[in-house]
Amino acid sequence: VPKHKIIHKEDKAFIYVDMCGFEKEEVEVNLKDSNLHISSKKENHDFVEPVDFFIKLYNKYKVKEATLENGLLVIELFKEVHTEKILIT
């Protein structure tokens, strides 16, 4: 598992993952049933280990966007807020 850090801010969260040696085409981020799956594929490289791990998300977080720049994967999350009008009878 690469170095990573999770920062919570009110209704948002940011996950920072060290992905040095990978291009954005070699990294996948998937969210299914509150499990964030981060994986990579790197062919023919002796010094870069493949990445494949899960982070369990709580509080109904959804992925807003993911970016990879200078070896740092940044995943921005937001809390899904359900509001519904209650009919008063």
Side-chain angles (χ1 to χ4, degrees):
V1 176
K3 284 184 173 183
H4 62 282
K5 184 177 193 175
I6 302 172
I7 298 176
H8 297 272
K9 293 183 178 183
E10 296 178 19
D11 60 347
K12 293 183 188 178
F14 296 88
I15 301 174
Y16 299 92
V17 183
D18 180 5
M19 297 294 287
C20 287
F22 292 100
E23 300 295 327
K24 64 182 178 182
E25 297 81 19
E26 300 169 323
V27 177
E28 289 188 0
V29 177
N30 296 296
L31 178 63
K32 183 177 181 185
D33 300 327
S34 297
N35 291 304
L36 187 67
H37 182 210
I38 301 168
S39 61
S40 69
K41 50 187 184 266
K42 184 84 171 172
E43 297 179 16
N44 301 327
H45 201 288
D46 295 332
F47 302 107
V48 178
E49 292 292 321
V51 170
D52 189 25
F53 71 103
F54 290 87
I55 297 174
K56 179 74 174 173
L57 300 179
Y58 297 97
N59 299 325
K60 304 210 183 259
Y61 277 110
K62 299 291 183 191
V63 176
K64 181 176 179 182
E65 69 177 343
T67 59
L68 179 64
E69 281 189 45
N70 300 318
L72 182 64
L73 176 64
V74 179
I75 304 166
E76 183 177 349
L77 308 167
F78 66 95
K79 280 186 187 176
E80 185 175 61
V81 179
H82 291 287
T83 57
E84 57 184 79
K85 188 173 183 176
I86 307 300
L87 179 64
I88 300 173
T89 57

